[in-house]
Amino acid sequence: MSENAFLAAMQKITTGALGIGEVIDAASRLSMAGQSAEAQQLYQVWAKFNPEHPQIQVAHFNCAVLQSDAGDLAGAAQSLQTAIAIAPDFAPAYINLGGVLERGGQPEQGIEVWRTLVQRPGAITGKNVGFVITALKQIGRLSSDTQRPDLAEAALRTALEINPEQRDVIEQFFALRLGQLEWPVIQPWENVTRKTLMGNINPLSMSCYTDDPLFHLANAARFVEAAVPEPDENPNDRRDAPLDISDRRLRVGYVSSDLRDHAIGYLMAELFELHDRSKVEVFAYYCGIPPFGALHERIKGAIEHFVDIRQMTDDQAAARIAADGVDILVDVNGHTRDARSALFARRPAPIIVNWLGFPGTMGSPYHQYVIADDFIVPPDSEMYYSEKVLRLPCYQPNDRKRKVDERRPTRAEAGLPDDAFVFCCFNGVQKFTRFTVQRWMEILKRVPNSVLWLLESIPATQQRLRDFAEANGVAASRLVFAPKMHNHQHLARYPLADLFLDTAPYGAHTTASDALWMGVPVLTTPGRGFASRVCGSLVRAAGLPELICATHDEYVERAIELANDPAQLAALRVRLEANRDTCDLFDMDTLTSRLEDLYEGMCADYLAGRLPRPDLSGLKPYLDIGSGLDHEALEMQAVPDYHGFYLERLAKAHLRRPIPADNLLWTEDRAASADGQAAPPARARPKRVVA
């Protein structure tokens, strides 16, 4: 808009000749022309000349949007407060005011504004209910971010009481209860059933909750279908792009939010330094929080092309990756926080790989490969993955250059008794199930002079653990909580522990390799799913296979045995130290070389027309069965005949409504047998992934 047009609009305002619709139109044109200040002025002047207009609050609201976008948070807050004072029922102003206060460093005030909206009586209309739910979601999100999970949970529960069918709310609600050790985590209430809750859980949280890989696959596929829309128009689709590396290097791109001071950053730093630049051209696309710190700079310096896509839309990021001509795009987030799954849905590279960030199957139609090892995914477990499984000697990379504080603390400085046996587990509390903690209590009771050393969490969660210990005959004082520290200081205190006790079903991953690097033996019980088997893979790769237990009872007995046999434990520590420079777990040169070999094999598959195509059919019966189970009453990892367990339930479901044969357990002969018919002629069993 020209200066003359702006002045003309101002003249009309002063004469009362410009209505609210015309003001909005004029301000929009000014804003699109980069004249935000003039657009704000237009709203402000119009409001002064029209104080009695029935829609004056809209002018203040729109002005606040422009002020907020320009970084004038104080001005935006004032405009929104004025809008609310004029029209107390104007719900959008409350929503935006809470957000402006949050951005301005006043989270408590923001929550209070949203709470005011929730508690305000108003007409029950679809629009008003929608605003109330939005306010409740915001309260839940910000309360969680500011370490007030109790407030967050209450807000999200209220949102579900209004509308139980909210996938995003259920995901957050479940994760909150999981992280606070509120057992049972799944607790249905009026109008909110177990199936509703179980059918809307994020795949990462589900991996913490139960070791049920058939259900994990079905749940992941459901999640992708519900949460990751595929675009109608997709100009960056390169699934059939030509791939000729006869006269150039292979282009590999890594998409991650965690190339910084994060577990993934620590695992991958040396990998990027070891990539063979004569064979591989490496790209990284960063999508996390604003990065900083020495580790981020180290990673960035090791990568040829580091691209920050945080401010890009999925279409823009896909266009950038397509323009870079990436051949293989590696998803290092999977179903974790800040993932960009919709970017992968645009298929900006001909080959897409799931590796390292998410311990499980993606259940998507566009991830063709998952990288594991032969322990994590043995051949008879490949059916649990929508991707084709490829294997490294050990799935997890590591950083042999990790910094460890030169000063090693004493037990007294760490709050540990000098003469006690110290069991430790530095896994996140979201991995603690009632079954696991019950086993720990049994171990502590049978090793009287022992303590359990855990990472600190919020006070309420720590108190729940203390109360659980007391209820199970263990003094609360025997739980010692370690304050969070910088990673180099945290690593330095590991050797104060005698034995690391793993969790189930989601075991130690980075925490296990940290313990093993620092010479602390790790005791684990692998299950069937990916997340439950990583720790066993790491322990085996470190050269201590005898610390992999077949059953939970063996895990308890072995922990007690080691606590009472100092010589055996000392010998394990000596072996860890002796093997550290040669074992598979820390052989980064071999891992990097083998990874590059896998990449070359993927290209060969693509050029030969053998690129895998995920088969996501026939999963609903498994989703229905898994979501109907009480996983806190039955520990699935302990079910001896897992497939038989599912087949029994599939047969019952088939009697109610026939289930078509699938590529998992419910084969044609089993369906025929359930119908009392003769089985059809035998034929080769299909795979989940087809070429």
mmCIF file of all heavy atoms in Angstrom, residues 170-215:
data_model
loop_
_atom_site.group_PDB
_atom_site.id
_atom_site.type_symbol
_atom_site.label_atom_id
_atom_site.label_comp_id
_atom_site.label_asym_id
_atom_site.label_seq_id
_atom_site.Cartn_x
_atom_site.Cartn_y
_atom_site.Cartn_z
ATOM 1 N N ILE A 170 -4.574 -37.079 24.773
ATOM 2 C CA ILE A 170 -4.315 -38.385 25.383
ATOM 3 C C ILE A 170 -2.821 -38.686 25.386
ATOM 4 O O ILE A 170 -2.272 -39.182 26.382
ATOM 5 C CB ILE A 170 -5.101 -39.487 24.653
ATOM 6 C CG1 ILE A 170 -6.603 -39.323 24.919
ATOM 7 C CG2 ILE A 170 -4.635 -40.877 25.093
ATOM 8 C CD1 ILE A 170 -7.475 -40.286 24.147
ATOM 9 N N GLU A 171 -2.137 -38.384 24.298
ATOM 10 C CA GLU A 171 -0.689 -38.609 24.231
ATOM 11 C C GLU A 171 0.022 -37.893 25.370
ATOM 12 O O GLU A 171 0.865 -38.468 26.075
ATOM 13 C CB GLU A 171 -0.133 -38.106 22.899
ATOM 14 C CG GLU A 171 -0.455 -38.968 21.704
ATOM 15 C CD GLU A 171 0.060 -38.349 20.421
ATOM 16 O OE1 GLU A 171 1.036 -37.581 20.484
ATOM 17 O OE2 GLU A 171 -0.518 -38.619 19.366
ATOM 18 N N GLN A 172 -0.295 -36.619 25.558
ATOM 19 C CA GLN A 172 0.376 -35.837 26.583
ATOM 20 C C GLN A 172 -0.046 -36.284 27.983
ATOM 21 O O GLN A 172 0.776 -36.371 28.904
ATOM 22 C CB GLN A 172 0.082 -34.347 26.390
ATOM 23 C CG GLN A 172 0.951 -33.439 27.250
ATOM 24 C CD GLN A 172 0.695 -31.963 26.987
ATOM 25 O OE1 GLN A 172 -0.075 -31.603 26.109
ATOM 26 N NE2 GLN A 172 1.338 -31.113 27.755
ATOM 27 N N PHE A 173 -1.328 -36.577 28.151
ATOM 28 C CA PHE A 173 -1.852 -37.025 29.444
ATOM 29 C C PHE A 173 -1.161 -38.325 29.873
ATOM 30 O O PHE A 173 -0.716 -38.464 31.019
ATOM 31 C CB PHE A 173 -3.369 -37.228 29.323
ATOM 32 C CG PHE A 173 -4.049 -37.698 30.567
ATOM 33 C CD1 PHE A 173 -4.299 -36.824 31.614
ATOM 34 C CD2 PHE A 173 -4.457 -39.023 30.698
ATOM 35 C CE1 PHE A 173 -4.940 -37.263 32.766
ATOM 36 C CE2 PHE A 173 -5.096 -39.463 31.848
ATOM 37 C CZ PHE A 173 -5.336 -38.577 32.887
ATOM 38 N N PHE A 174 -1.046 -39.263 28.952
ATOM 39 C CA PHE A 174 -0.408 -40.543 29.255
ATOM 40 C C PHE A 174 1.069 -40.346 29.591
ATOM 41 O O PHE A 174 1.585 -40.929 30.550
ATOM 42 C CB PHE A 174 -0.559 -41.486 28.062
ATOM 43 C CG PHE A 174 0.066 -42.831 28.271
ATOM 44 C CD1 PHE A 174 -0.637 -43.837 28.907
ATOM 45 C CD2 PHE A 174 1.352 -43.092 27.835
ATOM 46 C CE1 PHE A 174 -0.060 -45.092 29.114
ATOM 47 C CE2 PHE A 174 1.934 -44.333 28.034
ATOM 48 C CZ PHE A 174 1.228 -45.342 28.671
ATOM 49 N N ALA A 175 1.762 -39.529 28.794
ATOM 50 C CA ALA A 175 3.186 -39.299 29.038
ATOM 51 C C ALA A 175 3.422 -38.667 30.406
ATOM 52 O O ALA A 175 4.401 -38.982 31.095
ATOM 53 C CB ALA A 175 3.774 -38.421 27.938
ATOM 54 N N LEU A 176 2.521 -37.776 30.816
ATOM 55 C CA LEU A 176 2.645 -37.159 32.139
ATOM 56 C C LEU A 176 2.519 -38.199 33.248
ATOM 57 O O LEU A 176 3.326 -38.232 34.186
ATOM 58 C CB LEU A 176 1.571 -36.083 32.315
ATOM 59 C CG LEU A 176 1.846 -34.723 31.691
ATOM 60 C CD1 LEU A 176 0.573 -33.879 31.694
ATOM 61 C CD2 LEU A 176 2.954 -33.999 32.453
ATOM 62 N N ARG A 177 1.515 -39.042 33.154
ATOM 63 C CA ARG A 177 1.324 -40.059 34.190
ATOM 64 C C ARG A 177 2.482 -41.062 34.191
ATOM 65 O O ARG A 177 2.935 -41.503 35.251
ATOM 66 C CB ARG A 177 -0.009 -40.779 33.989
ATOM 67 C CG ARG A 177 -1.215 -39.899 34.278
ATOM 68 C CD ARG A 177 -2.526 -40.674 34.205
ATOM 69 N NE ARG A 177 -2.614 -41.746 35.175
ATOM 70 C CZ ARG A 177 -2.984 -41.599 36.437
ATOM 71 N NH1 ARG A 177 -3.280 -40.396 36.902
ATOM 72 N NH2 ARG A 177 -3.066 -42.655 37.241
ATOM 73 N N LEU A 178 2.969 -41.392 33.015
ATOM 74 C CA LEU A 178 4.101 -42.310 32.899
ATOM 75 C C LEU A 178 5.324 -41.726 33.603
ATOM 76 O O LEU A 178 6.013 -42.418 34.362
ATOM 77 C CB LEU A 178 4.398 -42.543 31.419
ATOM 78 C CG LEU A 178 5.193 -43.764 30.997
ATOM 79 C CD1 LEU A 178 4.416 -45.042 31.287
ATOM 80 C CD2 LEU A 178 5.522 -43.679 29.510
ATOM 81 N N GLY A 179 5.590 -40.447 33.376
ATOM 82 C CA GLY A 179 6.774 -39.796 33.944
ATOM 83 C C GLY A 179 6.659 -39.460 35.410
ATOM 84 O O GLY A 179 7.660 -39.135 36.059
ATOM 85 N N GLN A 180 5.434 -39.536 35.958
ATOM 86 C CA GLN A 180 5.248 -39.265 37.391
ATOM 87 C C GLN A 180 5.086 -40.541 38.204
ATOM 88 O O GLN A 180 4.903 -40.488 39.410
ATOM 89 C CB GLN A 180 3.994 -38.408 37.599
ATOM 90 C CG GLN A 180 4.086 -37.005 37.046
ATOM 91 C CD GLN A 180 2.809 -36.250 37.357
ATOM 92 O OE1 GLN A 180 2.666 -35.643 38.404
ATOM 93 N NE2 GLN A 180 1.857 -36.294 36.425
ATOM 94 N N LEU A 181 5.159 -41.707 37.526
ATOM 95 C CA LEU A 181 4.993 -43.003 38.185
ATOM 96 C C LEU A 181 3.647 -43.090 38.890
ATOM 97 O O LEU A 181 3.542 -43.599 40.014
ATOM 98 C CB LEU A 181 6.135 -43.251 39.182
ATOM 99 C CG LEU A 181 7.555 -43.117 38.622
ATOM 100 C CD1 LEU A 181 8.582 -43.503 39.667
ATOM 101 C CD2 LEU A 181 7.733 -43.949 37.362
ATOM 102 N N GLU A 182 2.624 -42.619 38.208
ATOM 103 C CA GLU A 182 1.267 -42.714 38.741
ATOM 104 C C GLU A 182 0.678 -44.038 38.284
ATOM 105 O O GLU A 182 0.136 -44.152 37.193
ATOM 106 C CB GLU A 182 0.423 -41.537 38.255
ATOM 107 C CG GLU A 182 0.871 -40.216 38.840
ATOM 108 C CD GLU A 182 -0.156 -39.120 38.617
ATOM 109 O OE1 GLU A 182 -0.177 -38.565 37.512
ATOM 110 O OE2 GLU A 182 -0.906 -38.816 39.550
ATOM 111 N N TRP A 183 0.839 -45.027 39.144
ATOM 112 C CA TRP A 183 0.386 -46.381 38.818
ATOM 113 C C TRP A 183 -0.993 -46.636 39.423
ATOM 114 O O TRP A 183 -1.220 -46.316 40.591
ATOM 115 C CB TRP A 183 1.390 -47.402 39.360
ATOM 116 C CG TRP A 183 2.778 -47.225 38.831
ATOM 117 C CD1 TRP A 183 3.145 -46.840 37.572
ATOM 118 C CD2 TRP A 183 4.002 -47.419 39.554
ATOM 119 N NE1 TRP A 183 4.519 -46.785 37.451
ATOM 120 C CE2 TRP A 183 5.082 -47.139 38.659
ATOM 121 C CE3 TRP A 183 4.315 -47.798 40.857
ATOM 122 C CZ2 TRP A 183 6.417 -47.233 39.030
ATOM 123 C CZ3 TRP A 183 5.650 -47.901 41.241
ATOM 124 C CH2 TRP A 183 6.681 -47.626 40.340
ATOM 125 N N PRO A 184 -1.953 -47.194 38.683
ATOM 126 C CA PRO A 184 -1.820 -47.536 37.262
ATOM 127 C C PRO A 184 -1.821 -46.295 36.371
ATOM 128 O O PRO A 184 -2.543 -45.338 36.632
ATOM 129 C CB PRO A 184 -3.048 -48.408 36.998
ATOM 130 C CG PRO A 184 -4.054 -47.951 38.009
ATOM 131 C CD PRO A 184 -3.277 -47.560 39.227
ATOM 132 N N VAL A 185 -0.983 -46.351 35.336
ATOM 133 C CA VAL A 185 -0.894 -45.223 34.403
ATOM 134 C C VAL A 185 -2.202 -45.075 33.633
ATOM 135 O O VAL A 185 -2.722 -43.973 33.464
ATOM 136 C CB VAL A 185 0.294 -45.415 33.432
ATOM 137 C CG1 VAL A 185 0.391 -44.233 32.468
ATOM 138 C CG2 VAL A 185 1.597 -45.567 34.212
ATOM 139 N N ILE A 186 -2.717 -46.198 33.159
ATOM 140 C CA ILE A 186 -4.017 -46.197 32.482
ATOM 141 C C ILE A 186 -5.098 -46.445 33.526
ATOM 142 O O ILE A 186 -5.161 -47.517 34.132
ATOM 143 C CB ILE A 186 -4.081 -47.289 31.402
ATOM 144 C CG1 ILE A 186 -3.130 -46.963 30.254
ATOM 145 C CG2 ILE A 186 -5.511 -47.451 30.876
ATOM 146 C CD1 ILE A 186 -3.576 -45.861 29.342
ATOM 147 N N GLN A 187 -5.899 -45.436 33.756
ATOM 148 C CA GLN A 187 -6.974 -45.538 34.737
ATOM 149 C C GLN A 187 -8.241 -44.945 34.114
ATOM 150 O O GLN A 187 -8.488 -43.747 34.197
ATOM 151 C CB GLN A 187 -6.598 -44.793 36.016
ATOM 152 C CG GLN A 187 -7.401 -45.204 37.224
ATOM 153 C CD GLN A 187 -6.791 -44.692 38.514
ATOM 154 O OE1 GLN A 187 -6.138 -43.656 38.531
ATOM 155 N NE2 GLN A 187 -6.998 -45.407 39.607
ATOM 156 N N PRO A 188 -9.046 -45.774 33.451
ATOM 157 C CA PRO A 188 -10.247 -45.261 32.775
ATOM 158 C C PRO A 188 -11.198 -44.588 33.762
ATOM 159 O O PRO A 188 -11.199 -44.890 34.958
ATOM 160 C CB PRO A 188 -10.882 -46.524 32.183
ATOM 161 C CG PRO A 188 -9.801 -47.549 32.179
ATOM 162 C CD PRO A 188 -8.923 -47.230 33.333
ATOM 163 N N TRP A 189 -11.980 -43.676 33.258
ATOM 164 C CA TRP A 189 -13.034 -43.068 34.070
ATOM 165 C C TRP A 189 -14.244 -42.848 33.183
ATOM 166 O O TRP A 189 -14.230 -43.216 31.997
ATOM 167 C CB TRP A 189 -12.549 -41.780 34.754
ATOM 168 C CG TRP A 189 -12.284 -40.597 33.866
ATOM 169 C CD1 TRP A 189 -13.165 -39.609 33.536
ATOM 170 C CD2 TRP A 189 -11.053 -40.262 33.208
ATOM 171 N NE1 TRP A 189 -12.565 -38.682 32.727
ATOM 172 C CE2 TRP A 189 -11.266 -39.057 32.513
ATOM 173 C CE3 TRP A 189 -9.793 -40.862 33.129
ATOM 174 C CZ2 TRP A 189 -10.269 -38.444 31.750
ATOM 175 C CZ3 TRP A 189 -8.804 -40.248 32.380
ATOM 176 C CH2 TRP A 189 -9.053 -39.048 31.697
ATOM 177 N N GLU A 190 -15.285 -42.276 33.747
ATOM 178 C CA GLU A 190 -16.543 -42.143 33.025
ATOM 179 C C GLU A 190 -16.332 -41.497 31.656
ATOM 180 O O GLU A 190 -15.731 -40.433 31.548
ATOM 181 C CB GLU A 190 -17.526 -41.290 33.844
ATOM 182 C CG GLU A 190 -18.926 -41.241 33.272
ATOM 183 C CD GLU A 190 -19.876 -40.435 34.141
ATOM 184 O OE1 GLU A 190 -19.419 -39.859 35.147
ATOM 185 O OE2 GLU A 190 -21.065 -40.382 33.808
ATOM 186 N N ASN A 191 -16.820 -42.165 30.623
ATOM 187 C CA ASN A 191 -16.753 -41.702 29.226
ATOM 188 C C ASN A 191 -15.359 -41.781 28.612
ATOM 189 O O ASN A 191 -15.189 -41.468 27.437
ATOM 190 C CB ASN A 191 -17.284 -40.268 29.075
ATOM 191 C CG ASN A 191 -18.734 -40.150 29.466
ATOM 192 O OD1 ASN A 191 -19.517 -41.079 29.245
ATOM 193 N ND2 ASN A 191 -19.112 -39.023 30.065
ATOM 194 N N VAL A 192 -14.356 -42.185 29.384
ATOM 195 C CA VAL A 192 -12.999 -42.331 28.838
ATOM 196 C C VAL A 192 -12.562 -43.772 29.116
ATOM 197 O O VAL A 192 -12.167 -44.113 30.228
ATOM 198 C CB VAL A 192 -12.016 -41.326 29.475
ATOM 199 C CG1 VAL A 192 -10.628 -41.480 28.848
ATOM 200 C CG2 VAL A 192 -12.515 -39.897 29.299
ATOM 201 N N THR A 193 -12.644 -44.608 28.088
ATOM 202 C CA THR A 193 -12.411 -46.032 28.258
ATOM 203 C C THR A 193 -10.933 -46.389 28.110
ATOM 204 O O THR A 193 -10.127 -45.600 27.607
ATOM 205 C CB THR A 193 -13.207 -46.833 27.220
ATOM 206 O OG1 THR A 193 -12.678 -46.539 25.908
ATOM 207 C CG2 THR A 193 -14.686 -46.472 27.262
ATOM 208 N N ARG A 194 -10.594 -47.600 28.540
ATOM 209 C CA ARG A 194 -9.236 -48.089 28.368
ATOM 210 C C ARG A 194 -8.848 -48.105 26.890
ATOM 211 O O ARG A 194 -7.747 -47.715 26.516
ATOM 212 C CB ARG A 194 -9.105 -49.502 28.955
ATOM 213 C CG ARG A 194 -7.726 -50.124 28.765
ATOM 214 C CD ARG A 194 -7.641 -51.506 29.400
ATOM 215 N NE ARG A 194 -7.972 -51.451 30.813
ATOM 216 C CZ ARG A 194 -7.128 -51.069 31.759
ATOM 217 N NH1 ARG A 194 -5.899 -50.698 31.431
ATOM 218 N NH2 ARG A 194 -7.513 -51.043 33.010
ATOM 219 N N LYS A 195 -9.771 -48.562 26.036
ATOM 220 C CA LYS A 195 -9.445 -48.631 24.607
ATOM 221 C C LYS A 195 -9.222 -47.255 24.017
ATOM 222 O O LYS A 195 -8.369 -47.059 23.138
ATOM 223 C CB LYS A 195 -10.556 -49.376 23.845
ATOM 224 C CG LYS A 195 -10.434 -50.881 23.921
ATOM 225 C CD LYS A 195 -11.029 -51.546 22.688
ATOM 226 C CE LYS A 195 -10.633 -53.005 22.612
ATOM 227 N NZ LYS A 195 -11.006 -53.625 21.335
ATOM 228 N N THR A 196 -9.998 -46.268 24.484
ATOM 229 C CA THR A 196 -9.790 -44.901 23.987
ATOM 230 C C THR A 196 -8.406 -44.414 24.371
ATOM 231 O O THR A 196 -7.686 -43.831 23.549
ATOM 232 C CB THR A 196 -10.862 -43.956 24.566
ATOM 233 O OG1 THR A 196 -12.143 -44.367 24.115
ATOM 234 C CG2 THR A 196 -10.617 -42.524 24.120
ATOM 235 N N LEU A 197 -8.015 -44.636 25.614
ATOM 236 C CA LEU A 197 -6.698 -44.200 26.068
ATOM 237 C C LEU A 197 -5.597 -44.995 25.363
ATOM 238 O O LEU A 197 -4.650 -44.412 24.823
ATOM 239 C CB LEU A 197 -6.581 -44.367 27.578
ATOM 240 C CG LEU A 197 -7.485 -43.458 28.431
ATOM 241 C CD1 LEU A 197 -7.464 -43.891 29.886
ATOM 242 C CD2 LEU A 197 -7.053 -42.000 28.307
ATOM 243 N N MET A 198 -5.721 -46.309 25.337
ATOM 244 C CA MET A 198 -4.677 -47.152 24.759
ATOM 245 C C MET A 198 -4.544 -46.961 23.257
ATOM 246 O O MET A 198 -3.462 -47.143 22.698
ATOM 247 C CB MET A 198 -4.981 -48.623 25.051
ATOM 248 C CG MET A 198 -4.686 -49.048 26.474
ATOM 249 S SD MET A 198 -2.926 -49.049 26.853
ATOM 250 C CE MET A 198 -2.348 -50.355 25.783
ATOM 251 N N GLY A 199 -5.625 -46.584 22.626
ATOM 252 C CA GLY A 199 -5.596 -46.438 21.168
ATOM 253 C C GLY A 199 -5.058 -45.118 20.684
ATOM 254 O O GLY A 199 -5.045 -44.864 19.480
ATOM 255 N N ASN A 200 -4.576 -44.274 21.606
ATOM 256 C CA ASN A 200 -4.101 -42.946 21.195
ATOM 257 C C ASN A 200 -2.804 -42.557 21.882
ATOM 258 O O ASN A 200 -2.567 -41.390 22.193
ATOM 259 C CB ASN A 200 -5.177 -41.898 21.496
ATOM 260 C CG ASN A 200 -6.383 -42.018 20.603
ATOM 261 O OD1 ASN A 200 -6.384 -41.584 19.458
ATOM 262 N ND2 ASN A 200 -7.436 -42.652 21.122
ATOM 263 N N ILE A 201 -1.942 -43.543 22.113
ATOM 264 C CA ILE A 201 -0.681 -43.297 22.804
ATOM 265 C C ILE A 201 0.452 -43.195 21.786
ATOM 266 O O ILE A 201 0.537 -43.984 20.851
ATOM 267 C CB ILE A 201 -0.399 -44.417 23.823
ATOM 268 C CG1 ILE A 201 -1.479 -44.419 24.917
ATOM 269 C CG2 ILE A 201 0.976 -44.270 24.450
ATOM 270 C CD1 ILE A 201 -1.379 -45.579 25.876
ATOM 271 N N ASN A 202 1.331 -42.228 22.018
ATOM 272 C CA ASN A 202 2.499 -42.069 21.146
ATOM 273 C C ASN A 202 3.350 -43.342 21.173
ATOM 274 O O ASN A 202 3.536 -43.950 22.228
ATOM 275 C CB ASN A 202 3.316 -40.869 21.634
ATOM 276 C CG ASN A 202 4.564 -40.639 20.814
ATOM 277 O OD1 ASN A 202 5.560 -41.344 20.977
ATOM 278 N ND2 ASN A 202 4.526 -39.652 19.951
ATOM 279 N N PRO A 203 3.894 -43.765 20.039
ATOM 280 C CA PRO A 203 4.688 -44.996 20.012
ATOM 281 C C PRO A 203 5.868 -45.004 20.976
ATOM 282 O O PRO A 203 6.232 -46.062 21.496
ATOM 283 C CB PRO A 203 5.159 -45.062 18.550
ATOM 284 C CG PRO A 203 4.084 -44.361 17.779
ATOM 285 C CD PRO A 203 3.654 -43.231 18.675
ATOM 286 N N LEU A 204 6.489 -43.844 21.228
ATOM 287 C CA LEU A 204 7.606 -43.817 22.167
ATOM 288 C C LEU A 204 7.136 -44.144 23.579
ATOM 289 O O LEU A 204 7.755 -44.944 24.288
ATOM 290 C CB LEU A 204 8.290 -42.450 22.137
ATOM 291 C CG LEU A 204 9.531 -42.316 23.021
ATOM 292 C CD1 LEU A 204 10.642 -43.232 22.540
ATOM 293 C CD2 LEU A 204 10.017 -40.869 23.063
ATOM 294 N N SER A 205 6.031 -43.530 23.995
ATOM 295 C CA SER A 205 5.482 -43.833 25.316
ATOM 296 C C SER A 205 5.052 -45.293 25.407
ATOM 297 O O SER A 205 5.218 -45.942 26.451
ATOM 298 C CB SER A 205 4.286 -42.925 25.608
ATOM 299 O OG SER A 205 4.673 -41.570 25.718
ATOM 300 N N MET A 206 4.509 -45.818 24.315
ATOM 301 C CA MET A 206 4.073 -47.215 24.330
ATOM 302 C C MET A 206 5.249 -48.163 24.544
ATOM 303 O O MET A 206 5.114 -49.201 25.206
ATOM 304 C CB MET A 206 3.353 -47.551 23.027
ATOM 305 C CG MET A 206 2.618 -48.874 23.069
ATOM 306 S SD MET A 206 1.251 -48.874 24.250
ATOM 307 C CE MET A 206 0.003 -47.982 23.302
ATOM 308 N N SER A 207 6.418 -47.798 24.023
ATOM 309 C CA SER A 207 7.602 -48.639 24.222
ATOM 310 C C SER A 207 8.009 -48.680 25.686
ATOM 311 O O SER A 207 8.579 -49.674 26.148
ATOM 312 C CB SER A 207 8.768 -48.114 23.373
ATOM 313 O OG SER A 207 8.487 -48.222 21.997
ATOM 314 N N CYS A 208 7.749 -47.597 26.419
ATOM 315 C CA CYS A 208 8.028 -47.573 27.861
ATOM 316 C C CYS A 208 7.004 -48.380 28.641
ATOM 317 O O CYS A 208 7.289 -48.861 29.739
ATOM 318 C CB CYS A 208 8.016 -46.134 28.387
ATOM 319 S SG CYS A 208 9.306 -45.054 27.748
ATOM 320 N N TYR A 209 5.823 -48.508 28.078
ATOM 321 C CA TYR A 209 4.682 -49.051 28.818
ATOM 322 C C TYR A 209 4.602 -50.566 28.755
ATOM 323 O O TYR A 209 4.284 -51.216 29.751
ATOM 324 C CB TYR A 209 3.403 -48.430 28.258
ATOM 325 C CG TYR A 209 2.147 -48.751 29.014
ATOM 326 C CD1 TYR A 209 1.996 -48.392 30.347
ATOM 327 C CD2 TYR A 209 1.085 -49.398 28.388
ATOM 328 C CE1 TYR A 209 0.825 -48.675 31.041
ATOM 329 C CE2 TYR A 209 -0.093 -49.683 29.073
ATOM 330 C CZ TYR A 209 -0.210 -49.318 30.398
ATOM 331 O OH TYR A 209 -1.367 -49.594 31.089
ATOM 332 N N THR A 210 4.874 -51.139 27.585
ATOM 333 C CA THR A 210 4.687 -52.580 27.433
ATOM 334 C C THR A 210 5.622 -53.144 26.374
ATOM 335 O O THR A 210 5.966 -52.465 25.398
ATOM 336 C CB THR A 210 3.230 -52.906 27.053
ATOM 337 O OG1 THR A 210 3.062 -54.322 26.971
ATOM 338 C CG2 THR A 210 2.837 -52.284 25.726
ATOM 339 N N ASP A 211 6.038 -54.391 26.576
ATOM 340 C CA ASP A 211 6.858 -55.091 25.590
ATOM 341 C C ASP A 211 5.934 -55.970 24.754
ATOM 342 O O ASP A 211 5.777 -57.162 25.006
ATOM 343 C CB ASP A 211 7.918 -55.941 26.295
ATOM 344 C CG ASP A 211 8.832 -56.642 25.305
ATOM 345 O OD1 ASP A 211 9.173 -56.024 24.286
ATOM 346 O OD2 ASP A 211 9.195 -57.812 25.546
ATOM 347 N N ASP A 212 5.327 -55.354 23.770
ATOM 348 C CA ASP A 212 4.312 -56.015 22.949
ATOM 349 C C ASP A 212 4.539 -55.585 21.497
ATOM 350 O O ASP A 212 3.843 -54.718 20.973
ATOM 351 C CB ASP A 212 2.921 -55.601 23.438
ATOM 352 C CG ASP A 212 1.792 -56.406 22.810
ATOM 353 O OD1 ASP A 212 2.057 -57.112 21.826
ATOM 354 O OD2 ASP A 212 0.653 -56.304 23.299
ATOM 355 N N PRO A 213 5.528 -56.176 20.814
ATOM 356 C CA PRO A 213 5.924 -55.660 19.501
ATOM 357 C C PRO A 213 4.862 -55.765 18.412
ATOM 358 O O PRO A 213 4.871 -54.963 17.474
ATOM 359 C CB PRO A 213 7.176 -56.467 19.149
ATOM 360 C CG PRO A 213 7.096 -57.696 20.000
ATOM 361 C CD PRO A 213 6.407 -57.275 21.257
ATOM 362 N N LEU A 214 3.951 -56.734 18.491
ATOM 363 C CA LEU A 214 2.856 -56.767 17.524
ATOM 364 C C LEU A 214 1.965 -55.534 17.702
ATOM 365 O O LEU A 214 1.561 -54.889 16.730
ATOM 366 C CB LEU A 214 2.031 -58.041 17.700
ATOM 367 C CG LEU A 214 2.670 -59.344 17.200
ATOM 368 C CD1 LEU A 214 1.913 -60.549 17.738
ATOM 369 C CD2 LEU A 214 2.730 -59.374 15.677
ATOM 370 N N PHE A 215 1.683 -55.219 18.935
ATOM 371 C CA PHE A 215 0.894 -54.024 19.239
ATOM 372 C C PHE A 215 1.682 -52.772 18.893
ATOM 373 O O PHE A 215 1.128 -51.792 18.380
ATOM 374 C CB PHE A 215 0.497 -54.051 20.716
ATOM 375 C CG PHE A 215 -0.365 -52.893 21.145
ATOM 376 C CD1 PHE A 215 -1.379 -52.407 20.327
ATOM 377 C CD2 PHE A 215 -0.178 -52.292 22.380
ATOM 378 C CE1 PHE A 215 -2.178 -51.344 20.730
ATOM 379 C CE2 PHE A 215 -0.967 -51.235 22.797
ATOM 380 C CZ PHE A 215 -1.976 -50.755 21.967
#
